[in-house]
Amino acid sequence: MDKPFAITLDPGSSLANKTGSWRTERPVYTDRLPPCNATCPAGEDIQGWLFRAESGDYEAAWRHLVRDNPLPAVMGRVCYHGCEGACNRAKLDEAVGINSVERFLGDEAIRRGWAFDPPAADSGKRVLVVGAGPSGLSAAYHLRRLGHAVTVAEAGTAAGGMMRYGIPKYRLPREVLDAEVARIVALGVELKLGTRVDRIAEAMQAGGYDAAFLAVGAHIAKRAFIPAGDSARILDAVAVLRSMEDGEPPFLGRRVAVYGGGNTALDVARTAKRLGATEAVIVYRRTRERMPAHDLEVEEALEEGVQVKWLSTVAHAEAGALTIEKMRLDEHGKPQPTGEYETLEADSLVLALGQDVDLGLLAGVPGLDVRDGVVQVDPRTMMTGHPGLFAGGDMVPAERNVTVAVGHGKRAARHIDAWLRGTVLEPAAKHGPALFERLNPWYYSDAPKTEREQLELARRTDGFDEVQHGLTEENALFEARRCLSCGNCLQCDNCYGVCPDNAVKKLAPGRYAVDYDYCKGCGLCAVECPCGAIDMVAEST
């Protein structure tokens, strides 16, 4: 009589079951670089902390996250999450809401009072960090965790740099920023507020510092020559946003024009609406497709009633009015004048044309290469041409945003540590990319992305309450579980279950190995791996 169930043999139960000699290919477990990790400027192991979050162990997920980034609650609000643009899940339904889970973990850490682990030992070395913006805070955190004594010199009256003075409260509540700064200080970082460093060489010698990291933000507004009458009211965007933090809110009037097309221009226009302006108009020389501001912020601004005059430039300013010239784009996409003019009523004009860095503190330092208003550094180590002097953030050639700055601080800290110890930090071996084509999408359930709720539109311009809300614990858990674990084992047991020869062995914790004495190289494990974590490699002869 036929048996109702298939019978399998345990590996090693019979010498006759050894089939390794049949193989022409063998399965090999591999670790690949997921696209989210590959595109994160802060160098986060996104897949790693999502894996811990999806089990509900949020503290373990947070501690894994802050190995690379000490500001997750901030980043969960202001990062433009390019990782989600690269996410393989977007080819299945929608990208994983990485940024929203990061914010949840950051907020949860603040709510529960989680603290950083102290350094294992002190190195006896002293490092000066100039600037308490995202890059300086990141460097200070990583240097302190590596055991170095760190002093952060900040010219302002509060830490945060452009996170505080350039990002409005409706995007980044100050209590969130303050909580994450306080956690870094509690690690043993010395923060000196109201301390301006005018000459870095003298400051290092006077303080007995062994190395320094320069992270001075771009606080100097760029100007443009605009013919204007004596009574025209022209301000710069940096001063407007800073006054919202340090002084009295500026008087902008009921009709405000903002000249520029970046995120700062949008922030000023949205701030003007919250200060009572009935009209806030952005004047921009190109089209929306060429606007450097991020699309999400453009959408939010338009929802709040901010207007945009595309293909326009300010030709002249008078009290209460601007003369606007219409532009056209040439075959190279550059704006060209048309000679057509119109009048735009405006009580004030705010210039948001970019910012420069004050590099005066570098005077007298030999070996530096300064070009186009920034300091040239080794892109791998972040060291300038002067030994022991490193720089990052707005001071070096790079995209200017919080995530990039945090990544600079981490990278510099690790190379400062190596330099102080007289060693060279070798780059880690790169894993191959985790491609969507290697995945088995049908193993994953349909799961639409969880969208974050926003403050009601009617309430937004009444004050500076945060516009975008966070996820609940239930939503965060769901969103973390949408991760496909691209290119890396997710411990699903598929290979273990489908192997016809019982050649796959479980290892602790959550890893597997192949007993090649019993594997005949059929490749079923590789075919059925959901996340593409098994390669079939030609058998060596």
Side-chain angles (χ1 to χ4, degrees), residues 10-49:
D10 291 333
S13 62
S14 170
L15 293 177
N17 196 39
K18 289 190 175 184
T19 57
S21 60
W22 301 3
R23 265 193 329 270
T24 58
E25 291 184 315
R26 66 169 59 196
V28 176
Y29 290 94
T30 186
D31 295 310
R32 298 194 176 277
L33 181 63
C36 53
N37 291 24
T39 56
C40 177
E44 291 183 16
D45 177 17
I46 295 170
Q47 190 183 94
W49 57 257

Side-chain angles (χ1 to χ4, degrees), residues 224-247:
F225 174 71
I226 297 176
D230 293 339
S231 56
R233 182 166 175 74
I234 302 178
L235 307 92
D236 70 74
V238 175
V240 169
L241 294 175
R242 179 175 284 275
S243 69
M244 295 299 300
E245 194 70 30
D246 270 353

Side-chain angles (χ1 to χ4, degrees), residues 380-453:
R380 187 177 69 86
T381 67
M382 308 304 291
M383 187 158 74
T384 69
H386 186 81
L389 190 60
F390 298 73
D394 294 347
M395 293 193 71
V396 304
E399 186 179 354
R400 289 178 173 177
N401 63 52
V402 173
T403 317
V404 169
V406 168
H408 285 177
K410 180 185 76 170
R411 192 187 318 162
R414 293 178 178 179
H415 287 282
I416 291 170
D417 175 67
W419 189 82
L420 290 172
R421 299 179 192 276
T423 61
V424 175
L425 184 63
E426 296 297 334
K430 288 283 187 182
H431 295 301
L435 303 175
F436 179 78
E437 291 71 25
R438 291 290 306 272
L439 306 179
N440 279 321
W442 61 273
Y443 268 113
Y444 301 97
S445 302
D446 291 338
K449 183 178 181 177
T450 306
E451 298 295 339
R452 285 181 275 192
E453 294 183 358

Side-chain angles (χ1 to χ4, degrees), residues 266-346:
L266 292 172
D267 286 338
V268 171
R270 295 174 71 182
T271 295
K273 293 287 286 185
R274 285 162 172 78
L275 291 175
T278 55
E279 294 180 17
V281 181
I282 291 175
V283 180
Y284 180 55
R285 299 195 306 158
R286 294 179 174 84
T287 59
R288 176 168 177 174
E289 293 73 27
R290 296 178 179 272
M291 197 177 199
H294 287 82
D295 197 57
L296 176 62
E297 291 203 46
V298 177
E299 283 297 321
E300 289 183 359
L302 294 175
E303 289 171 359
E304 292 172 8
V306 172
Q307 303 172 52
V308 185
K309 292 193 73 65
W310 309 106
L311 291 172
S312 300
T313 189
V314 179
H316 192 271
E318 289 287 350
L322 303 175
T323 300
I324 304 298
E325 183 175 8
K326 295 180 181 180
M327 309 294 281
R328 64 172 180 83
L329 296 183
D330 63 18
E331 63 274 16
H332 304 293
K334 294 184 178 181
Q336 301 295 336
T338 64
E340 298 179 46
Y341 297 89
E342 63 177 309
T343 299
L344 175 66
E345 294 184 349

Side-chain angles (χ1 to χ4, degrees), residues 185-210:
V185 172
L187 192 60
V189 171
E190 182 183 19
L191 175 61
K192 291 185 174 181
L193 299 174
T195 304
R196 179 181 176 85
V197 175
D198 293 314
R199 298 256 177 171
I200 184 60
E202 295 175 6
M204 289 183 68
Q205 184 176 14
Y209 295 104
D210 301 291

Side-chain angles (χ1 to χ4, degrees), residues 49-58 87 89 92-102 104-105 444-452 470-485:
W49 57 257
L50 278 175
F51 181 77
R52 285 157 178 77
E54 62 184 73
S55 70
D57 191 345
Y58 302 125
C87 177
R89 176 118 205 174
L92 191 60
D93 42 39
E94 294 178 275
V96 176
I98 298 166
N99 185 245
S100 58
V101 180
E102 181 170 24
F104 170 80
L105 294 174
Y444 301 97
S445 302
D446 291 338
K449 183 178 181 177
T450 306
E451 298 295 339
R452 285 181 275 192
L471 298 180
T472 64
E473 180 175 345
E474 180 182 5
N475 288 341
L477 185 63
F478 175 85
E479 198 58 36
R481 288 175 174 172
R482 295 182 67 243
C483 175
L484 304 180
S485 193

Side-chain angles (χ1 to χ4, degrees), residues 34-183:
C36 53
N37 291 24
T39 56
C40 177
E44 291 183 16
D45 177 17
I46 295 170
Q47 190 183 94
W49 57 257
L50 278 175
F51 181 77
R52 285 157 178 77
E54 62 184 73
S55 70
D57 191 345
Y58 302 125
E59 184 171 359
W62 176 79
R63 293 195 181 280
H64 192 103
L65 195 168
V66 299
R67 295 187 319 183
D68 300 301
N69 167 27
L71 303 166
V74 169
M75 201 85 86
R77 289 167 166 84
V78 305
C79 177
Y80 295 112
H81 41 83
C83 53
E84 295 182 23
C87 177
N88 277 332
R89 176 118 205 174
K91 298 176 182 177
L92 191 60
D93 42 39
E94 294 178 275
V96 176
I98 298 166
N99 185 245
S100 58
V101 180
E102 181 170 24
R103 170 174 166 170
F104 170 80
L105 294 174
D107 288 350
E108 193 75 355
I110 294 172
R111 186 176 72 84
R112 297 195 185 188
W114 294 336
F116 295 135
D117 295 327
D122 288 329
S123 69
K125 301 292 186 179
R126 304 186 69 224
V127 183
L128 174 64
V129 175
V130 182
S135 196
L137 290 170
S138 173
Y141 161 78
H142 287 287
L143 286 164
R144 182 64 196 129
R145 292 195 78 173
L146 290 165
H148 306 300
V150 184
T151 298
V152 180
E154 167 57 45
T157 56
M162 293 303 284
M163 294 185 294
R164 182 180 300 276
Y165 297 110
I167 300 177
K169 295 176 183 178
Y170 62 79
R171 287 180 57 205
L172 178 57
R174 296 305 183 250
E175 61 271 18
V176 172
L177 175 59
D178 291 340
E180 295 208 307
V181 170
R183 190 190 291 123

